[in-house]
Amino acid sequence: GMPEAPVVRLRSFWETLGAQVEIMTPRHHDLVLAVTSHVPHLIAYSIVGTASDLEEVTQGEVIKFSAGGFRDFTRIAASDPVMWRDVFLNNREAVLEILQRLTED
């Protein structure tokens, strides 16, 4: 495991700044973030990209018929693509694991 003293110091540092700190293994962290953040971002990018590529659906229709969920996707998909490319590359094992589980379910 991680040395106790550095973890305690880091936890204290972040809590002093107002953060809520959870201690977990790197593997668990990667899976939690893959399922709660990384894969949802990937899905949002894919859906918004598909909607903009559809020739049969006009931009006006996308705007007219989009409800809150699609607007959330467009907001998420507007995130910095370079940063997200790096996130996906650095957490590819957990992201691929979650995507595999989604396709199996």
Side-chain angles (χ1 to χ4, degrees), residues 2-83:
M2 295 177 83
E4 186 83 17
V7 172
V8 170
R9 285 182 35 221
L10 276 173
R11 173 181 229 151
S12 176
F13 170 79
W14 286 111
E15 286 176 344
T16 300
L17 295 176
Q20 294 180 4
V21 178
E22 295 285 333
I23 304 297
M24 59 184 77
T25 65
R27 164 99 175 117
H28 188 73
H29 166 273
D30 289 352
L31 281 173
V32 168
L33 273 291
V35 77
T36 62
S37 177
H38 305 163
V39 169
H41 270 82
L42 186 60
I43 292 168
Y45 281 122
S46 298
I47 289 175
V48 171
T50 299
S52 68
D53 291 343
L54 283 176
E55 294 177 9
E56 303 84 20
V57 179
T58 68
Q59 186 72 22
E61 286 174 315
V62 169
I63 294 166
K64 179 178 178 181
F65 293 104
S66 64
F70 190 81
R71 282 192 292 274
D72 287 342
F73 278 142
T74 59
R75 177 185 51 79
I76 292 167
S79 301
D80 180 10
V82 173
M83 181 196 74

